[in-house]
Amino acid sequence: MKRENFGSSAPWEATVGYSRAVRVGPYIHVAGTTATNTEGKIVGAGDMYEQAKQALRNIEAALNKAGAGMKEVVRTRMYVTDISRWEEAGRAHGEFFRDIRPVATLVGVTALVSPEMLVEIEAEAILAD
């Protein structure tokens, strides 16, 4: 099967050696995605809901580059730095996936790469035949 890598504007992709998304055949995997804008600045400082929305917008952009959309997402994983605030990330997730209903995991973690980052989200999509 053919493999395609898709990058974003994140400057650390080349340094760390990863892609924002990888498509192999009908399968698309989107890397852990945070609330950064096109300049690499964190959106929604202190606001987990806004950060989750931005991360999901970034995931949607990566999926679009790979020839898919949110409706093809079958799995998400959300990592939050304060599990007591899980409903904020969940609310944003619901706004994007209320009718799609992928399987989802939400876990609390000690920290993300930057202390300003409150949530990181991964996604997997499968294109129909």
Side-chain angles (χ1 to χ4, degrees):
M1 273 190 250
K2 180 180 170 185
R3 174 191 172 120
E4 295 177 89
N5 294 350
F6 300 90
S8 70
S9 60
W12 45 83
E13 286 179 16
T15 303
V16 176
Y18 76 97
S19 297
R20 173 61 46 216
V22 174
R23 178 176 175 179
V24 179
Y27 305 100
I28 302 167
H29 301 274
V30 182
T33 304
T34 57
T36 53
N37 62 20
T38 56
E39 291 82 45
K41 305 288 184 200
I42 296 171
V43 173
D47 188 333
M48 188 176 293
Y49 169 74
E50 286 300 325
Q51 286 196 20
K53 284 192 349 182
Q54 181 64 40
L56 290 162
R57 284 190 291 266
N58 292 346
I59 287 169
E60 186 170 34
L63 287 168
N64 290 165
K65 282 184 181 180
M70 296 301 249
K71 68 184 184 308
E72 281 82 33
V73 172
V74 296
R75 173 184 296 277
T76 61
R77 294 178 189 91
M78 296 172 278
Y79 306 95
V80 298
T81 58
D82 182 350
I83 198 66
S84 72
R85 296 175 63 187
W86 71 269
E87 289 177 279
E88 296 172 55
R91 182 166 47 109
H93 187 275
E95 290 175 10
F96 281 80
F97 293 112
R98 185 161 282 110
D99 296 326
I100 301 165
R101 308 281 299 264
V103 297
T105 301
L106 190 149
V107 297
V109 297
T110 303
L112 296 172
V113 172
S114 167
E116 294 177 290
M117 293 176 179
L118 304 177
V119 59
E120 184 167 330
I121 305 173
E122 299 177 4
E124 297 175 14
I126 302 174
L127 296 170
D129 293 332

